[in-house]
């Protein structure tokens, strides 16, 4: 049995096997962090239009109360993470790039952890449209990192027919264990969330893809599934980037999403386990998304673990709570393969942030950073899960031939997974080159 | 805590090894072959190797300095070129010619193209091709392996003065009392005399030839070390050996008395050294998975064609140089299908 399992273990071709660094946090139950005295709540924590504030400075808000409403369909509302007073609405630094209009909330000392806002919903009686609306009202966005509004992902455009909901439980980034813990500790909410998503999107069956380094999660879900549930758990090989949406669809269903296309086009809706578990928890209570599980780890962290962090908590407060060793560190939001580094501790945790990794200052790369010319070793070609030719793309980028990169070498199919940079023995910052090339091309097109 | 202000972009993890580590390991893998060559042919090969490597390093440094680039000696690639080049030269090759070969290898084979990563041809083979044309006699003067006096004295031609005709080695060979020595490599013996040396002598390095091409088994073992450490691709050597064997097989089956067996083809001359250490040179070979196989098979095929029907007994060098030249074309026709693309 084990042997045949090995052969049948599903995976995509290429990819890499970075050290996973998950053992520090994978076995620790999720713990709650206290409220920071001052929280910073950016109005744009998602892909799409920024939310429109509903509150004024000086106003008192309850934990769970909406503080900003969605600006149209491609947007998401925001709820107060703690009971307190609105101090101000002003520009504040965020993880990605420029400053963003943010609500500053002063939490009341000793504010209760109880959510004081929300109206229970009888989920079973709602139609698909009503469910989508209810999901939007929770302010839910993809918790796996993309921050795409979840109700948009559940709304199938009328020209497409979908049949399968793919549930992404791979969590292939090193260090991150939030989805792992959620699958173990919130199994019932997850299954409830999957049932809701099936109905909201009009899909008939669901497949949960989980990497085989989380056998306990696979077991836990299988145990709780009822025979009549049209939900299957599929073990997939532990390999980066198994959790990439398009690759996972191909691995689980054998369907290939066309270049530049969306999963709808092959009849699939994809959501991440963390997102669906939150839907399963929030929707019946009619509450909004006000906190999320974040893996806080890395060699510089004294008490690594998975923490339930109120959205808007500044990194400085988190680091004070979990303790740290050095005076300076290299801070990464998200996982180390695709996450962004941050320069300011005032940056808050927002909806899409699944991890806070603190690496020691010098060892963000553990060997000297000397960049050599491309020696055409082909390692990057063997690593690229999209089967691009990063070596050639890199050489073109060095000569600023950005258009050729896009037209002849399919630059736009690169999803910046980082495999090529990870393996390159010449330490060429390939992904960075590709990002620059893409943004130059975008500007030229505009 | 303060966040480090210098921002890095993802990925924030990097895998070992880096270029200098890979190159250093290639040097390690070459050392046993060099040591065996010295054991076989003695003092002359030791000094010749040192001379060629020094010449390569000196030339590399010179061009760094001329082009105002930072010092690139620390990437070890010039050492590899030097060692490989030395291994392809006859043991009695005059030192000054070795120095010329080293200079040409780096200057024309590498620096002219823009240094490591930009060379179209394998630099060591460029150097070797140059001295083949410039010094046709010296490059085909062979001396016996395991001469009794090899650690006591130089082969007389080794110390020839620059631009002087090197002394003939016949008298010296006679003093070494190696009666059976014919002055020809196994390939030349086959090509010109129709004699086929037995396979065991070929495997184990008991024949003559260039200093490092005579021990196929040792070369295979050293290549396997690199391939297992994932510092060299195994596809090119495998494809090249396969290509050579498959090309030779039908002729041998058809006329075994005229054509040598595939085993002889694989284990004679520079094929093994060429396959394992030169055709596999990453810079001058394709990067695409299918391209590696096409490239290796092509070189194997060309080697046998040149050996069987060319004017020279050995074809590995030109086969690899031709393969190098074809590499960009092979790469462009073997681009893999991209995820989500139609074709
Ligand atoms: S970052 Fe882009 S080019 Fe590099 S491996 Fe990933 S998809 Fe391929
Ligand atoms: S891994 Fe780096 S050195 Fe090797 S081919 Fe790719 S870009 Fe060039």
């Amino acid at each position: 049995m084990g042997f045949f399992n090995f052969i049948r273990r599903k995976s995509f071709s290429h990819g890499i096997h970075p050290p996973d660094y998950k053992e520090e946090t994978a076995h620790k139950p999720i713990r709650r962090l206290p409220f920071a005295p001052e929280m910073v709540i950016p109005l744009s924590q998602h892909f799409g239009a920024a939310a429109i504030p509903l509150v004024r400075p000086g106003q008192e808000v309850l934990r769970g109360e909406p503080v900003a409403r969605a600006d149209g369909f491609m947007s998401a509302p925001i709820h107060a993470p703690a009971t307190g007073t609105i101090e101000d609405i002003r520009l504040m630094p965020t993880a990605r790039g420029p400053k963003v209009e943010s609500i500053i909330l002063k939490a009341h000392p000793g504010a209760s952890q109880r959510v004081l806002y929300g109206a229970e919903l009888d989920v079973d009686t709602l139609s698909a449209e009503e469910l989508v609306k209810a999901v939007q009202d929770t302010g839910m966005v993809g918790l796996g990192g993309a921050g795409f509004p979840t109700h948009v992902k559940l709304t199938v455009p009328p020209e497409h027919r979908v049949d399968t909901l793919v549930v992404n439980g791979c969590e292939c980034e090193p260090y991150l264990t939030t989805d792992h813990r959620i699958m173990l500790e919130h199994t019932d909410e997850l299954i409830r969330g999957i049932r809701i998503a099936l109905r909201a999107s009009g899909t008939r069956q669901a497949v949960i893809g989980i990497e085989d380094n989380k056998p306990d999660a696979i077991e836990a879900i299988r145990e709780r599934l009822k025979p009549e549930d049209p939900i299957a758990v599929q073990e997939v090989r532990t390999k980066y980037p198994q959790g990439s949406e398009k690759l996972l669809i191909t691995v689980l269903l054998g369907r290939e999403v066309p270049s530049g296309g969306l999963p709808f086009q092959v009849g699939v809706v994809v959501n991440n386990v963390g997102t669906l578990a939150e839907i399963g928890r929030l929707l019946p209570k009619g509450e909004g998304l006000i906190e999320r599980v974040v893996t806080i780890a890395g060699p510089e962290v004294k008490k690594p673990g998975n923490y339930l962090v109120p959205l808007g908590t500044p990194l400085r407060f988190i680091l004070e709570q979990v303790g740290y060793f050095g005076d300076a560190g290299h801070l990464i939001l998200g996982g180390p393969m695709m996450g962004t580094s941050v320069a300011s501790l005032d940056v808050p945790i927002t909806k899409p942030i699944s991890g806070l990794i603190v690496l020691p200052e010098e060892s963000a790369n553990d060997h000297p950073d000397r960049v050599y010319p491309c020696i055409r070793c082909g390692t990057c070609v063997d690593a690229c899960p999209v089967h691009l030719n990063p070596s050639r793309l890199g050489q073109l980028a060095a000569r600023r031939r950005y258009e050729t990169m896009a037209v002849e070498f399919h630059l736009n199919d690169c999803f910046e997974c980082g495999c090529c940079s990870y393996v390159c023995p010449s330490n060429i910052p390939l992904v960075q080159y590709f990002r620059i090339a893409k943004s130059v091309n975008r500007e030229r097109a505009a | 805590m303060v966040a480090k202000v210098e921002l890095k972009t993802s990925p924030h993890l990097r895998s070992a090894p880096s270029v200098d580590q890979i190159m250093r390991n290639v040097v390690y893998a070459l050392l046993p072959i060099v040591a065996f060559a010295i054991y076989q042919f003695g003092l002359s090969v030791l000094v010749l190797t040192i001379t060629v490597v020094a010449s390569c390093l000196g030339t590399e440094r010179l061009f760094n300095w001329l082009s105002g680039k930072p010092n690139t000696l620390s990437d070890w690639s010039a050492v590899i070129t030097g060692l490989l080049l030395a291994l392809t030269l006859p043991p009695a090759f005059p030192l000054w010619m070795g120095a010329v070969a080293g200079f040409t290898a780096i200057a024309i084979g590498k620096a002219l193209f823009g240094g490591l990563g930009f060379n179209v041809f394998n630099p060591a083979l460029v150097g070797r091709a140059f001295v083949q044309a410039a010094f046709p006699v010296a490059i085909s003067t062979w001396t016996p392996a395991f001469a009794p006096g090899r650690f006591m004295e130089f082969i007389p031609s080794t110390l020839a003065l620059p631009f002087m005709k090197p002394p003939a080695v016949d008298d010296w060979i006679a003093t070494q009392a190696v009666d059976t020595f014919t002055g020809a490599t196994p390939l030349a013996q086959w090509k010109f005399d129709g004699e086929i040396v037995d396979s065991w002598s070929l495997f184990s390095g008991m024949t003559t030839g260039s200093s490092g091409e005579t021990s196929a088994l040792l070369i295979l073992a050293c290549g396997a070390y690199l391939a297992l450490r994932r510092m060299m691709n195994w596809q090119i050597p495998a494809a090249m050996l396969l290509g050579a064997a498959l090309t030779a097989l039908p002729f041998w089956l058809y006329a075994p008395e005229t054509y040598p067996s595939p085993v002889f083809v694989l284990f004679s001359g520079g094929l093994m050294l060429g396959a394992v250490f030169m055709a596999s040179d990453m810079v001058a070979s394709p990067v695409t998975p299918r391209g590696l196989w096409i490239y290796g098979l092509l070189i194997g095929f060309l080697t046998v064609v040149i050996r069987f029907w060319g004017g020279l007994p050995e074809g590995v060098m030109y086969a690899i140089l031709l393969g190098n030249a074809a590499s960009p074309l092979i790469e462009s026709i073997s681009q893999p299908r991209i995820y989500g693309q139609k074709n």
Side-chain angles (χ1 to χ4, degrees):
Chain A
M1 176 63 195
F3 179 69
F4 288 104
N5 243 351
F6 176 77
I7 290 180
R8 281 194 292 117
R9 254 188 337 171
K10 299 198 165 191
S11 188
F12 61 97
S13 66
H14 295 184
I16 54 172
H17 295 275
D20 78 356
Y21 301 116
K22 292 185 195 259
E23 61 289 338
E24 284 239 49
T25 56
H27 301 291
K28 293 195 188 139
I30 300 169
R31 282 163 50 197
R32 200 176 262 286
L33 273 194
F35 294 128
E38 191 181 88
M39 304 202 196
V40 179
I41 309 157
L43 291 170
S44 178
Q45 308 189 17
H46 49 261
F47 186 89
I52 300 168
L54 296 168
V55 290
R56 280 166 286 100
Q59 189 175 331
E60 302 278 318
V61 290
L62 295 175
R63 175 159 154 94
E65 185 179 337
V67 291
R69 65 178 170 84
D71 180 12
F73 183 67
M74 197 57 166
S75 182
I78 291 166
H79 303 76
T83 302
T85 318
I86 306 292
E87 283 260 300
D88 197 1
I89 302 180
R90 62 177 131 102
L91 289 174
M92 290 294 284
T94 54
R96 285 176 198 266
K99 292 190 173 183
V100 165
E101 197 81 27
S102 307
I103 296 173
I104 316 293
L105 172 71
K106 217 175 184 87
H108 283 172
S112 152
Q113 294 278 4
R114 266 194 37 226
V115 180
L116 304 167
Y117 201 95
E120 283 190 19
L121 277 181
D122 185 4
V123 174
D124 295 335
T125 61
L126 298 182
S127 70
E129 290 77 42
E130 287 166 331
L131 281 173
V132 169
K133 181 76 185 69
V135 169
Q136 181 173 21
D137 289 343
T138 63
M140 185 62 62
V141 308
L143 299 181
F148 205 79
T150 304
H151 66 280
V152 180
K153 284 192 112 181
L154 292 175
T155 310
V156 182
E159 67 272 22
H160 294 299
R161 289 188 158 274
V162 293
D163 54 23
T164 307
L165 172 71
V166 164
V167 184
N168 190 345
C170 291
E171 200 164 50
C172 56
E173 276 264 12
Y175 286 107
L176 303 188
T177 53
T178 61
D179 288 348
H180 188 179
R181 290 314 305 177
I182 289 170
M183 289 189 279
L184 287 175
E185 297 180 39
H186 299 286
T187 323
D188 291 328
E189 287 99 323
L190 171 62
I191 294 172
R192 200 184 308 143
I194 293 174
R195 292 195 194 117
I196 293 173
L198 279 168
R199 285 183 42 227
S201 62
T203 44
R204 281 182 288 108
Q205 51 164 1
V207 192
I208 314 175
I210 303 175
E211 281 190 344
D212 56 9
N213 61 355
K214 299 182 258 294
D216 46 352
I218 296 172
E219 196 53 35
I221 298 174
R222 282 196 178 137
E223 259 173 31
R224 305 292 177 86
L225 285 177
K226 296 205 193 80
E228 69 270 19
D229 278 323
I231 302 171
V233 181
Q234 175 69 56
E235 197 177 342
V236 295
R237 208 149 104 204
T238 302
K239 184 160 140 187
Y240 180 85
Q242 193 73 263
S244 141
E245 189 170 281
K246 291 183 179 182
L247 294 176
L248 186 63
I249 291 174
T250 310
V251 167
L252 294 177
L253 305 172
R255 305 179 195 173
E256 200 169 297
V257 183
S259 162
L262 292 169
F264 294 138
Q265 288 169 262
V266 292
V268 179
V269 173
V270 190
N271 273 284
N272 144 284
V273 288
T275 311
L276 293 182
E278 274 299 291
I279 288 183
R281 193 175 71 82
L282 295 176
L283 219 58
K285 295 195 278 179
E287 290 177 3
L289 178 69
I290 52 174
E291 51 201 4
R292 67 156 298 153
V293 184
V294 181
T295 299
I296 299 165
E300 295 295 278
V301 175
K302 274 195 184 151
K303 286 182 282 177
N306 283 293
Y307 293 90
L308 190 59
V309 183
L311 294 171
T313 308
L315 303 185
R316 176 173 289 112
F317 180 81
I318 296 178
L319 288 175
E320 281 162 15
Q321 295 295 315
V322 299
Y324 51 87
F325 295 106
D327 302 329
H330 180 74
L331 266 66
I332 298 159
L333 290 181
M337 293 303 296
M338 292 182 80
T340 27
S341 38
V342 276
S344 162
L345 293 179
D346 298 324
V347 165
I349 290 291
T350 50
K351 294 174 183 178
I353 294 173
S354 48
L356 167 61
I357 314 298
V358 190
L359 299 178
E361 200 178 359
E362 60 293 329
S363 90
N365 282 345
D366 36 357
H367 55 79
D369 281 355
R370 174 157 182 190
V371 176
Y372 293 93
C374 170
I375 55 164
R376 298 176 40 78
C377 61
T379 328
C380 55
V381 179
D382 284 337
C384 178
V386 188
H387 296 207
L388 297 172
N389 186 338
S391 159
R392 192 66 163 273
L393 284 168
Q395 285 164 336
L396 289 169
R399 281 180 273 136
R400 303 214 159 71
R401 303 215 2 230
Y402 299 141
E403 259 187 60
T404 318
M405 291 168 72
V407 177
E408 286 175 42
F409 293 93
H410 305 282
L411 172 67
N412 294 329
D413 286 314
C414 164
F415 68 108
E416 298 171 21
C417 65
C419 291
C420 50
S421 295
Y422 175 80
V423 297
C424 178
S426 291
N427 296 326
I428 301 172
L430 294 162
V431 183
Q432 196 183 345
Y433 283 180
F434 303 162
R435 278 194 203 107
I436 293 170
K438 284 183 195 175
S439 73
V440 170
N441 281 345
R442 266 197 301 272
E443 268 167 41
R444 280 192 195 149
Chain B
M1 170 178 274
V2 291
K4 199 185 163 207
V5 181
E6 189 216 327
L7 291 184
K8 299 205 172 166
T9 54
S10 65
H12 305 282
L13 297 176
R14 283 285 172 91
S15 74
S18 61
V19 166
D20 54 320
Q21 285 168 301
I22 294 181
M23 298 287 181
R24 212 167 49 223
N25 273 278
V26 176
V27 172
Y28 295 157
L30 283 169
L31 287 180
I33 304 170
V34 172
F36 186 73
I38 294 168
Y39 170 65
Q40 246 182 322
F41 294 103
L43 216 48
S44 289
V45 165
L46 173 67
V47 182
L48 178 64
T49 308
I50 293 173
T51 309
V52 176
V53 172
S55 161
C56 286
L57 288 173
T59 314
E60 177 100 357
R61 191 76 192 90
L62 174 72
F63 277 91
N64 284 164
W65 180 72
L66 285 179
S67 61
K69 277 205 224 149
N71 185 346
T72 51
L73 294 189
S74 60
D75 67 25
W76 292 80
S77 62
V79 179
I80 298 179
T81 301
L83 290 176
L84 280 176
L85 178 56
L87 289 173
T88 61
L89 297 174
F93 204 59
L95 296 181
W96 74 270
M97 293 183 185
V100 170
F103 175 82
T104 335
I106 299 290
I108 298 180
K110 190 170 170 193
L112 211 63
F113 289 99
L116 175 68
F118 299 97
N119 46 298
V120 173
F121 299 102
N122 179 310
L125 287 179
V126 172
R128 159 84 199 206
F130 178 80
V131 291
Q132 173 115 33
F135 313 117
V137 177
I139 201 85
S140 54
T141 300
W142 308 104
T143 48
F146 301 109
R150 63 192 189 280
F151 293 119
M152 263 81 79
E153 56 184 10
F154 289 107
I155 305 170
S157 57
T158 300
L159 299 175
L161 290 175
F163 306 106
M164 295 296 192
K165 191 168 175 294
V169 292
D170 301 350
D171 294 346
W172 177 79
I173 292 172
T175 66
Q176 297 297 319
V178 188
D179 321 328
T180 54
F181 187 70
T182 59
T185 63
L187 273 173
Q189 283 181 46
W190 159 72
K191 183 125 192 152
F192 303 122
D193 308 328
E195 273 172 45
I196 290 181
V197 175
D198 75 281
S199 311
W200 174 245
S201 317
L202 285 176
F203 286 161
S204 53
M206 298 303 148
T207 59
T208 189
S210 300
S211 41
E213 61 178 42
T214 53
S215 178
L217 288 188
L218 188 61
I219 294 168
L220 269 182
C222 294
Y225 161 80
L226 284 179
L228 286 176
R229 298 207 58 187
R230 295 180 182 277
M231 293 184 173
M232 186 185 77
N233 71 66
W234 55 270
Q235 292 95 332
I236 291 176
M240 178 167 162
L241 297 178
L242 190 71
L246 287 182
T247 313
L249 184 66
F251 295 98
W252 175 67
L253 288 178
Y254 176 70
E257 55 302 325
T258 330
Y259 292 103
S261 73
V263 176
F264 178 87
V265 167
L266 291 189
F267 289 92
S268 56
L271 192 97
M272 204 55 82
L273 187 70
V276 175
F277 284 102
M278 291 195 253
S280 64
D281 175 352
M282 302 156 176
V283 178
S285 58
V287 297
T288 52
R290 265 183 307 147
L292 297 177
W293 285 98
I294 302 176
Y295 170 85
L297 289 169
L298 176 75
I299 296 176
F301 169 78
L302 290 175
T303 303
V304 174
V305 168
I306 298 173
R307 279 188 184 177
F308 281 14
W309 296 286
L312 293 166
E314 180 55 299
V316 173
M317 175 177 82
Y318 292 110
I320 296 178
L321 289 172
L322 284 170
N324 290 163
S327 164
L329 178 69
I330 295 174
E331 186 168 313
S332 63
I333 60 166
S334 62
Q335 292 291 336
R337 194 190 76 93
I338 290 162
Y339 180 96
Q341 294 284 347
K342 294 259 153 33
N343 38 52

